[in-house]
Amino acid sequence: MTGSATATGLLGDTPSRDYAGKLRRFNAFAEPEIRQAMASLALKPDMRVLDAGCGTGEALRWLADEVGPEGAVIGMDLSVPHLKAAHLIAPENGALVLQGNMLDPPIAPASVDLVWSVNAINHLRSPAAGLDALLALIRPGGRLALGQSALLPDMVFAWDSRLERLVNEAVRQYYRDRYRLDERELTWIRAIVGLLRQAGLRQVHVRTFMIERVAPLRVEDENYLVEAIFRGTWGDRLQPYLSDSDYEEMMRLCDPQHPDFALRRPDFHFLQSFTLAVGHL
Ligand SMILES: C[S@@+](CC[C@H](N)C(=O)[O-])C[C@H]1O[C@@H](n2cnc3c(N)ncnc32)[C@H](O)[C@@H]1O
């Protein structure tokens, strides 16, 4: 691997960084909508596809389902722990899993029909450099598909928009402080369509899929919301950013043992967006 993650990454990724649990939970939760987004690409059976920033590798299986046994799927990620998790599921589909930096990928130029990359390009300090490096891997006529969740704000507490707004702002402030970033650095990915156009791609189109859940939830939904969001993204770390009473209310709503637990309310209604922007070389 060349290029250090500390020099290129915005969000603290390194070859040893591990948030595999969060990635597994997100993919189990969002599988139906991500597969729907993938199906909208109408991949052909013999295509060669790269998942850039593949994380724990769930999408490798879904891409393999799309391109069939004559196709080929390659996963690439910076993180060794994420790739270990991806290796565990790779034998099922025969995907090749590689450690590498998106800015200097260990893959032959013009050798893939599609680069698929979800929630990864927003981790780079220089998106233009990342896109250039990925575009160099695509054959003439091939495509780049960038997936990004939560370009629209999530709705978690449908019955209390005030608390939700304060919690969302607390999360953003937490990340700005943690990675010493300003608001623009955390949100430039909103210009995803412009990024594809500036990179010289043609026939750019975009579609947003809504991930929508109400009670009763699937186990995968409950695991993601409780473990990845309520505990992993919110929890104690937000205490300095909320008033005592708002923090206590948030914690009650997020506590599966509490009678006010959000996910058991009959009015629970969760919305999250997943946007797929696609351009042709
Ligand atoms: C939020 S995760 C998304 C993972 C996966 N695409 C998914 O949707 O579950 C971002 C991934 O990008 C990887 N990553 C970050 N910077 C990278 C870089 N410069 N080159 C390759 N992978 C990188 C991280 O290690 C992480 O696995």
Side-chain angles (χ1 to χ4, degrees):
M1 192 207 59
T2 55
S4 97
T6 44
T8 58
L10 270 184
L11 300 175
D13 291 290
T14 67
S16 59
R17 178 100 186 273
D18 184 359
Y19 45 95
K22 191 169 183 178
L23 297 180
R24 273 201 219 95
R25 287 187 186 98
F26 171 73
N27 282 289
F29 154 75
E31 175 176 349
E33 290 79 9
I34 297 179
R35 278 189 181 254
Q36 203 190 340
M38 225 174 236
S40 74
L41 295 171
L43 299 182
K44 303 232 165 49
D46 57 350
M47 282 183 164
R48 194 172 144 88
V49 175
L50 167 69
D51 184 351
C54 64
T56 42
E58 289 76 11
L60 301 176
R61 281 192 281 124
W62 309 333
L63 289 165
D65 287 347
E66 296 291 324
V67 296
E70 291 117 69
V73 178
I74 308 163
M76 180 189 65
D77 201 279
L78 188 64
S79 157
V80 174
H82 295 177
L83 289 169
K84 273 196 189 140
H87 267 297
L88 291 178
I89 55 174
E92 244 178 69
N93 57 39
L96 180 64
V97 177
L98 301 171
Q99 202 253 345
N101 190 331
M102 270 192 273
L103 295 171
D104 187 12
I107 293 168
S111 63
V112 302
D113 299 291
L114 173 82
V115 171
W116 166 269
S117 187
V118 169
N119 292 338
I121 199 95
N122 61 315
H123 287 234
L124 301 179
R125 209 167 274 285
S126 168
L131 286 190
D132 282 351
L134 294 180
L135 292 184
L137 308 178
I138 302 174
R139 289 188 181 126
R143 286 177 290 175
L144 174 68
L146 295 183
Q148 191 65 42
S149 56
L151 289 186
L152 294 173
D154 300 356
M155 181 171 83
V156 189
F157 301 145
W159 58 92
D160 191 344
S161 62
R162 179 195 156 275
L163 182 63
E164 185 173 277
R165 172 174 53 77
L166 294 171
V167 170
N168 283 338
E169 184 46 43
V171 172
R172 286 193 284 267
Q173 191 59 51
Y174 169 83
Y175 279 105
R176 291 198 287 266
D177 291 351
R178 175 168 173 180
Y179 296 116
R180 286 188 231 105
L181 298 172
D182 68 30
E183 186 167 353
R184 288 199 180 99
E185 288 171 299
L186 274 179
T187 56
W188 58 251
I189 192 63
R190 286 156 46 97
I192 194 163
V193 168
L195 283 170
L196 293 190
R197 293 212 159 117
Q198 276 159 25
L201 288 163
R202 294 175 297 109
Q203 292 167 262
V204 172
H205 67 267
V206 68
R207 183 169 161 199
T208 293
F209 299 80
M210 288 312 296
I211 302 172
E212 184 160 37
R213 305 282 185 267
V214 294
L217 295 170
R218 299 180 308 154
V219 174
E220 293 87 346
D221 299 329
E222 187 152 335
N223 274 344
Y224 169 70
L225 289 163
V226 172
E227 300 300 334
I229 303 298
F230 295 171
R231 295 208 176 106
T233 307
W234 299 357
D236 301 348
R237 55 163 67 167
L238 296 193
Q239 190 162 15
Y241 300 100
L242 292 168
S243 70
D244 288 349
S245 61
D246 287 335
Y247 176 72
E248 279 157 24
E249 190 180 353
M250 178 194 81
M251 293 304 267
R252 277 196 300 277
L253 287 166
C254 295
D255 178 359
Q257 310 308 327
H258 198 280
D260 294 345
F261 181 44
L263 306 193
R264 303 263 185 277
R265 290 175 60 115
D267 53 1
F268 179 74
H269 181 186
F270 177 76
L271 283 172
Q272 185 183 110
S273 59
F274 179 78
T275 300
L276 190 67
V278 184
H280 291 244
L281 204 67

